[in-house]
């Protein structure tokens, strides 16, 4: 039986590819006492438990975040996560007398990928449960599986294959990581050079004309959505988590252009495990800056880690001149 | 006597430079029936009448937006704008019987520039009044004065001189313009090349090492704030105006890094004069994309239009190799 995370976050994926399937679910399991926040900015969101994260509201801890394909249907994956947690006694205690009576707190968001597989083939509660079973602790040296996996299985961005991306950094004693499921209406690729917007040197690339000419045009009526999670071991309030999620959207704005359109449900969560004191506001501000950077890098990582699937070409295949290798894991 | 704008927006500046002064005020006067919205995202805002712009609230038109130096003291500039408008009978009618009984609706935001001149030298109501007197209609071929003017007089960005910037574009039949008062904690300059983040080709520049070495380091305890307005002749609802302002913040995120810090009060307004029907949501979505782009270009324009003042070096002086001429007006 997969253990609950004790000190670190754990990430698990479950997906199905083939036989009309191209979708999946990703779960982030939290160590006890994790505080959460969210920032919802795209025009077409599919979310659950984001109101609970409002700093004015009661519940002060989060047990997991679920990210899924399947559009609003895919919210069902959270059911499997909730029951998996409840079976392990993890959740918010709702009585004074019996600590075993818990309600698992599982915020989540979904991406639109319904047109990538056969209609009706979308994540259900079992996807959420199996993603929990597959979860492994993550950190600076132990990234989760990335690319065409989990909630990113059916993802596309600007008509190229999207996927799951990951980035980690450190600000003084605080770790900041970002996991992004990149599925944007906008593009991650600079159409002038073929470089990636999120890359610090995307403008240095020499354009490969034949590659650029194959870059997909924007579809007429796209529906997409980029979602993700910022993970940190900092001790933050709910309001600070909300602020971190908000500034991570700046990283998305840098990595995908345009972002936050009427047809994206772009939503970012923050999870703070509370192991490291941040100190004064100046230190928190540096953490904010890192969150934006890490989210941009996670967007980049998603695009370069993705592999072609379901008729969607991946960046590595379209731009071989970029010389980007696939993810090692 | 300066007329009220009939069909187009009008922009006016008033500022004082020298004798311990380095601050000013900018006003945008609206044609009748203009609808407004706002998006506030920085951690240290100074604003007025932003709650009124909430789509749930009653008032459905805006008479002017005031942008000012002077931090929270500078909100006083709005007093001059309110009285100037009231004297001309412009405002929201508050009785059924007498249309001359009006309350002018003047949302506004301020930047922190108190450390750029002598303490106590900050905009007051007279600055707002004089900015109204100076207002001239603006459009694609008639930009307002830019650079070290109005609310941008004392502005700095990443330790360089900031200022007022302007950009205009068109989406089908709709005009979209942005006016930005750029005063960010973060920098507008790519430290690797000296190019401007908001420039589409900022990475093509060959770094001039001696120029780069003079780029200011970030101050320890900065207080700043970028504010601005998106202007359009589209017919939009209050909620749509709010969405436009939100996505314009993506343009800020691209042009200034980091943006929206705890020490920036970054706030963007939208003003929609309502002359052109936008049509379906796809057209509105293209307008959103243009708003983000225009705001990024206005940020760029502010930085290249600024002239050195108050010990703050401007971009053109620090990077002569960029070969950027000053604003013609």
């Amino acid at each position: 039986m997969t253990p609950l995370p004790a000190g670190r976050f754990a990430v698990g994926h479950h997906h199905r590819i083939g036989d009309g399937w191209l979708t999946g679910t990703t779960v982030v399991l939290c160590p006890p006492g994790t505080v959460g926040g969210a920032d919802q900015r795209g025009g077409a969101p599919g979310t659950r438990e984001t109101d609970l994260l409002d700093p004015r509201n009661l519940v002060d801890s989060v047990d997991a975040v679920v990210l899924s394909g399947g559009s609003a249907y895919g919210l069902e994956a959270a059911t499997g996560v909730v029951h998996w947690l409840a079976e392990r006694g993890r959740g918010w205690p709702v009585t004074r007398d019996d600590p075993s009576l818990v309600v698992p707190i599982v915020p989540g968001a979904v991406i639109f990928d319904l047109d990538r597989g056969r209609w009706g083939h979308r994540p259900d509660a079992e996807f959420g449960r199996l993603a929990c079973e597959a979860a492994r602790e993550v950190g600076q040296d132990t990234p989760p599986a990335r690319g065409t996996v989990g909630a990113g299985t059916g993802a596309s961005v600007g008509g190229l294959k999207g996927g799951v991306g990951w980035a980690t950094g450190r600000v003084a004693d605080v770790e900041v990581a970002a996991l992004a499921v990149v599925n944007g209406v906008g593009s991650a690729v600079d159409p002038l050079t073929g470089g990636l917007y999120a890359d610090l040197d995307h403008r240095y690339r020499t354009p490969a004309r034949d590659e650029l000419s194959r870059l997909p045009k924007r579809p007429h009526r796209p529906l997409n959505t980029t979602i993700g999670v910022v993970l940190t071991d900092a001790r933050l309030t709910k309001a600070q988590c909300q602020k971190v999620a908000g500034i991570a959207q700046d990283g998305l704005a840098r990595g995908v252009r345009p972002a936050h359109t009427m047809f994206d449900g772009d939503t970012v969560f923050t999870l703070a495990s509370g192991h490291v004191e941040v100190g004064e506001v100046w230190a928190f501000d540096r953490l904010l800056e890192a969150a934006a950077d890490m989210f941009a890098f996670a967007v980049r990582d998603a695009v370069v880690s993705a592999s072609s699937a379901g008729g969607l070409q991946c960046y590595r295949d379209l731009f071989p001149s970029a010389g980007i290798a696939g993810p090692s894991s």
Side-chain angles (χ1 to χ4, degrees), chain A residues 16-286:
Chain A
R16 286 189 68 178
I17 301 175
D19 289 332
W21 287 90
L22 192 69
T23 190
T25 298
T26 296
V27 69
V28 181
L29 300 175
C30 306
T34 294
V35 175
D39 185 271
Q40 200 290 308
R41 201 163 301 170
T47 60
R48 55 170 274 146
E49 293 281 47
T50 46
D51 284 320
L52 170 145
L53 296 175
D54 187 306
R56 293 168 294 189
N57 291 337
L58 176 69
V59 169
D60 53 1
S61 62
V62 172
D63 298 299
V65 162
V66 63
L67 308 173
S68 188
S71 188
Y73 295 107
L75 290 171
E76 193 179 324
T79 302
V81 179
V82 165
H83 287 283
W84 189 89
L85 289 163
E87 288 160 15
R88 285 154 183 79
R90 171 63 73 79
W92 206 72
V94 288
T95 70
R96 283 191 177 191
D97 306 325
D98 186 347
S100 75
L101 302 182
V102 296
V103 176
I105 306 300
V106 184
V110 292
I111 67 164
F112 183 92
D113 60 2
L114 297 180
D115 53 356
R116 324 272 154 86
R118 194 178 306 146
W119 185 259
H121 284 194
R122 49 220 178 196
D124 59 8
E126 190 63 9
F127 274 64
R129 172 178 291 277
L130 291 171
C132 291
E133 288 292 337
R136 299 290 176 270
E137 292 201 354
V138 293
Q140 303 265 42
D141 304 318
T142 48
R146 297 122 62 216
T148 303
V149 296
T153 300
S156 76
V157 53
L160 284 180
K161 188 71 191 73
V164 171
W166 171 259
T168 61
R170 182 175 279 280
V171 180
D173 295 330
V174 174
E175 279 186 54
V176 186
L179 183 148
V181 182
V182 178
N183 184 55
V185 167
S187 177
V189 180
D190 178 347
L192 295 179
T193 66
L196 290 158
Y197 284 129
D199 245 346
L200 284 177
D201 59 354
H202 74 85
R203 290 284 169 178
Y204 288 128
R205 274 177 53 83
T206 305
R209 297 284 165 208
D210 58 324
E211 296 173 346
L212 285 176
S213 67
R214 292 196 299 271
L215 202 59
K217 302 290 170 282
R218 198 184 305 179
H220 174 53
R221 289 193 175 196
L223 274 169
N224 281 73
T225 285
T226 293
I227 54 183
V229 186
V230 176
L231 311 166
T232 176
D233 55 3
R235 180 186 297 277
L236 301 179
T237 64
K238 287 177 77 174
Q240 285 177 316
C241 286
Q242 191 180 29
K243 176 73 185 167
V244 169
I247 210 158
Q249 300 264 25
D250 286 359
L252 173 56
R254 290 174 191 147
V256 178
R257 306 188 185 189
H260 309 128
T261 76
M262 291 304 283
F263 307 103
D264 284 303
D266 302 343
T267 303
V268 179
F269 298 93
T270 302
L271 295 170
S273 65
H275 295 112
V276 183
E277 293 293 340
V278 172
E280 55 177 2
V281 67
W282 324 103
F284 175 63
D285 199 59
R286 287 192 293 273

